[in-house]
Amino acid sequence: SAVISQKPSRDICQRGTSLTIQCQVDSQVTMMFWYRQQPGQSLTLIATANQGSEATYESGFVIDKFPISRPNLTFSTLTVSNMSPEDSSIYLCSVRLRTDNTEAFFGQGTRLTVV
Amino acid sequence: DAKTTQPTSMDCAEGRAANLPCNHSTISGNEYVYWYRQIHSQGPQYIIHGLKNNETNEMASLIITEDRKSSTLILPHATLRDTAVYYCIVVVTGANSKLTFGKGITLSVRP
């Protein structure tokens, strides 16, 4: 298993500002992902955080809005840029330990409110 | 397009078995069935997965029909702490596989 720590756990931000969310894993992991969960909705995959290279974004998500870093195998950040109230969501970090298995572990999430 | 279809919600009595159905009629031969759950205000939690054989672990049992077009997650003795949204996901296992979450089924366990 993997223990995932996300910081901050929640924040209230002004529109037009940016917030960087950190994801720290207690062991080296193969794959890291970022999800968004809008109020009352299911999870939507934002991107795959690739170690040492640019993240792979899903349709509807772009690097300028959600820049992602992954400097090593245990850490990643997601920035929500130029925020608007529509960005109010829970952002979740997820990891997989193996490529032959789709068992994933999730952080507790960062609850973001944009005012 | 959704690969799985689940009822919106169901409830069961505490101590009884909870049987959560999932339809995946277009499943491919190399796609696995995964179940996750999300308890309120927490991140999703892996429960179990299977390809074609029935599977059991300490949390639940997974029953997959012979034609693999549907499956049932069984919580043998539901407790109040099992109240959550349960997601049934079909996915090919591999380096490029990604979990796509549908709306899931909300299970409410009543005292």
Side-chain angles (χ1 to χ4, degrees):
Chain A
S1 67
V3 177
I4 302 168
S5 300
Q6 275 188 241
K7 292 181 181 179
S9 58
R10 59 178 61 224
D11 207 343
I12 301 174
C13 300
Q14 296 291 322
R15 69 179 66 200
T17 63
S18 298
L19 176 71
T20 295
I21 302 167
Q22 298 180 359
C23 176
Q24 179 72 56
V25 192
D26 67 343
S27 60
Q28 294 186 344
V29 296
T30 305
M31 309 182 76
M32 297 182 77
F33 306 88
W34 287 98
Y35 286 82
R36 179 177 73 181
Q37 187 169 28
Q38 295 176 299
Q41 302 297 312
S42 185
L43 286 78
T44 301
L45 180 63
I46 297 172
T48 302
N50 300 309
Q51 194 264 328
S53 64
E54 191 172 288
T56 304
Y57 291 85
E58 297 300 307
S59 176
F61 297 95
V62 295
I63 187 171
D64 289 347
K65 176 66 176 177
F66 298 102
I68 289 171
S69 78
R70 189 178 172 191
N72 56 51
L73 294 177
T74 64
F75 185 79
S76 177
T77 66
L78 167 74
T79 299
V80 186
S81 303
N82 188 24
M83 288 183 285
S84 67
E86 292 71 35
D87 294 319
S88 296
S89 294
I90 298 173
Y91 293 86
L92 296 118
C93 174
S94 174
V95 305
R96 282 169 49 193
L97 304 183
R98 296 160 50 179
T99 57
D100 64 345
N101 183 306
T102 317
E103 179 178 349
F105 301 90
F106 288 80
Q108 293 297 301
T110 296
R111 183 179 295 272
L112 170 64
T113 302
V114 184
V115 297
Chain B
D1 291 345
K3 287 190 171 183
T4 64
T5 304
Q6 300 177 256
T8 301
S9 63
M10 66 176 292
D11 63 22
C12 75
E14 189 176 20
R16 304 297 294 269
N19 298 301
L20 286 70
C22 181
N23 287 324
H24 30 79
S25 59
T26 61
I27 191 169
S28 302
N30 59 349
E31 286 184 312
Y32 286 72
V33 180
Y34 276 75
W35 282 84
Y36 284 79
R37 73 178 182 183
Q38 187 174 25
I39 297 171
H40 184 63
S41 297
Q42 296 184 23
Q45 175 190 22
Y46 165 81
I47 301 173
I48 199 168
H49 75 279
L51 182 61
K52 53 184 178 181
N53 297 322
N54 297 337
E55 302 288 344
T56 295
N57 63 21
E58 65 278 4
M59 289 183 66
S61 294
L62 174 61
I63 308 299
I64 302 174
T65 58
E66 191 169 345
D67 64 7
R68 303 211 320 124
K69 292 185 177 182
S70 65
S71 60
T72 301
L73 179 74
I74 301 173
L75 307 179
H77 305 287
T79 70
L80 298 179
R81 287 175 292 182
D82 291 322
T83 293
V85 179
Y86 287 77
Y87 298 98
C88 170
I89 302 170
V90 295
V91 61
V92 175
T93 293
N96 296 320
S97 66
K98 303 170 189 174
L99 292 173
T100 301
F101 287 81
K103 296 183 178 181
I105 178 173
T106 300
L107 173 67
S108 300
V109 180
R110 61 181 186 275

